Amino acid sequence: MSDSVYTSRQQRVLLVVCLLLLAGMVLFGLGSYITGFLGAGILYVVLRPWFAALVHQRGWNRQVVTVGLLVFALVVIILPFTALSLMLFNRIRYYATNTDISQLMAVLHAIERKIGFTFTAEQNVQTLVRQGVGWLSQRLPSVASSLLHFTVVIGLMLFTLYFMFAQEEGFLRGLRRYLPFRHDTLHELGDSLKNNVNANVLGQALISLVQAVLTGLTLWIFQVPDALFWGMVAFFMAFIPVLGTPLVWGPAAILKFTQDHTGQGVGILLVGVIVIMNIDNLLRIVLARRIGDIHPLVTLAGVILGVDIFGILGLVLGPLLLSYFIVLMRVFERENRLHSSLRKSE
């Protein structure tokens, strides 16, 4: 006879509560380093087809392939994105500390003269600029400010990714054992995760890169100062659906109009509307057939959510987490419906 004051059901409930509390403490302790584990999961999904083709189909050495994929991820994916983020952060900080507010006011007053309506006051503009710079400074440093933090995050990402490949069978077996889903549901979740990663990471990164190159070239051709920097800005803006690159080439066209360079302003608008925006729509149609598609509203809400939590990495992580949450809700709905039908049949 057991001396415990708890029933077996109470013991199971308390065990679950303890597990949840400990998991919450672990997540709270990891804090901002959680992006390293999330990044490892994303890279695993992206690189796994190559790993499977080389190791499982061709029989190459697992350790050699794993190290090669880690080097590829570091050199081709992680370092370029990080360098781009650092360049963007440093240039934004430079503009924030060296931009003369009188120059900005001159442009705004020129716009007012063109439209015949006054809408600015220097004090309001200064307040908006300070607020905008403050908002950016709180989010961009999550990637760029602390070298130690960045090193630890990248180290965790690569370390986790290594064991996900090196001990893949045990990793997948553990997922199947501890995730509370049936085998068919797990298979569906795996396919959904792969499609969402491909659409949010590979697809959106390719679209953003193409649009950034076109935006930078357009601004350079029409003699907009610092076209390379604004092309980098366009890369990150392109992750935002609907708004995206018009937030870059639109103000550039307005600036040209205020400077009485009407031909250049019209040229920027024509290229932006006819080429850059339509190449976005064309690529989304093509990529949706190959690697899946995500509703723009989910992407927009995910970007807002992700940037607030993860900083600039939230441009990728936010839409991915939100879209996967929607997938889990659909699975939950179907499982409840199936459970209810089984109870009724009994």
Side-chain angles (χ1 to χ4, degrees):
M1 181 176 178
S2 175
D3 294 331
S4 176
V5 298
Y6 302 106
T7 65
S8 59
R9 178 179 177 82
Q10 290 173 336
Q11 289 176 341
R12 288 195 298 270
V13 171
L14 289 173
L15 176 60
V16 172
V17 171
C18 290
L19 288 174
L20 292 177
L21 287 175
L22 289 174
M25 293 174 63
V26 169
L27 292 176
F28 179 78
L30 290 173
S32 59
Y33 297 110
I34 197 69
T35 55
F37 298 103
L38 294 175
I42 292 174
L43 289 176
Y44 173 78
V45 175
V46 171
L47 299 176
R48 189 176 184 276
W50 294 3
F51 178 84
L54 295 176
V55 174
H56 299 313
Q57 298 179 14
R58 298 190 179 184
W60 290 19
N61 183 274
R62 178 186 295 263
Q63 302 296 328
V64 173
V65 173
T66 299
V67 172
L69 290 177
L70 292 182
V71 173
F72 174 83
L74 180 64
V75 174
V76 178
I77 301 175
I78 298 173
L79 291 183
F81 184 84
T82 303
L84 198 61
S85 303
L86 286 169
M87 291 172 61
L88 178 65
F89 172 72
N90 291 332
R91 189 62 64 88
I92 288 177
R93 186 170 56 184
Y94 170 81
Y95 276 117
T97 56
N98 293 278
T99 299
D100 187 358
I101 194 67
S102 61
Q103 296 177 353
L104 179 59
M105 291 303 303
V107 174
L108 295 176
H109 289 324
I111 296 174
E112 291 174 344
R113 288 193 297 271
K114 292 284 185 181
I115 65 176
F117 178 73
T118 301
F119 57 88
T120 58
E122 185 169 347
Q123 184 177 0
N124 293 337
V125 173
Q126 289 177 341
T127 302
L128 288 175
V129 170
R130 285 196 299 268
Q131 290 176 347
V133 171
W135 184 86
L136 286 172
S137 65
Q138 291 176 1
R139 281 146 181 86
L140 291 180
S142 61
V143 174
S145 63
S146 172
L147 179 61
L148 177 61
H149 176 267
F150 169 74
T151 304
V152 172
V153 169
I154 297 302
L156 282 173
M157 184 184 301
L158 295 178
F159 190 73
T160 304
L161 185 61
Y162 172 82
F163 282 104
M164 291 175 78
F165 281 129
Q167 301 178 2
E168 183 186 41
E169 290 78 7
F171 167 69
L172 295 178
R173 187 166 54 249
L175 287 180
R176 287 191 292 267
R177 175 179 298 176
Y178 293 109
L179 288 178
F181 303 112
R182 295 181 296 108
H183 177 74
D184 294 342
T185 302
L186 283 175
H187 183 71
E188 178 187 350
L189 291 175
D191 290 340
S192 298
L193 177 61
K194 181 176 67 175
N195 292 335
N196 285 325
V197 168
N198 288 337
N200 283 298
V201 180
L202 298 180
Q204 187 57 56
L206 177 60
I207 293 172
S208 299
L209 179 61
V210 172
Q211 287 193 293
V213 171
L214 290 175
T215 301
L217 284 175
T218 301
L219 300 184
W220 176 73
I221 291 172
F222 291 105
Q223 301 177 5
V224 175
D226 216 353
L228 177 61
F229 165 70
W230 294 113
M232 289 191 298
V233 174
F235 174 78
F236 292 100
M237 290 296 101
F239 280 87
I240 304 175
V242 183
L243 299 175
T245 53
L247 293 174
V248 178
W249 51 258
I254 295 174
L255 177 64
K256 287 296 181 181
F257 285 129
T258 61
Q259 296 173 343
D260 293 326
H261 298 153
T262 305
Q264 293 179 344
V266 171
I268 293 174
L269 286 179
L270 289 177
V271 174
V273 173
I274 296 175
V275 179
I276 299 176
M277 292 186 67
N278 282 303
I279 200 69
D280 176 24
N281 298 328
L282 177 62
L283 286 174
R284 289 186 188 278
I285 293 174
V286 173
L287 292 174
R289 297 175 180 175
R290 295 179 176 272
I291 59 177
D293 190 19
I294 302 298
H295 195 280
L297 183 59
V298 174
T299 303
L300 180 60
V303 165
I304 297 172
L305 170 71
V307 169
D308 194 54
I309 299 175
F310 303 108
I312 201 169
L313 289 176
L315 293 172
V316 174
L317 294 177
L320 180 63
L321 293 179
L322 186 58
S323 59
Y324 209 56
F325 171 76
I326 294 174
V327 171
L328 287 175
M329 289 296 294
R330 292 173 181 169
V331 169
F332 177 76
E333 179 186 3
R334 191 181 67 247
E335 292 290 323
N336 267 357
R337 194 184 308 117
L338 178 62
H339 183 68
S340 297
S341 62
L342 289 176
R343 290 183 61 183
K344 290 179 180 179
S345 63
E346 293 175 356

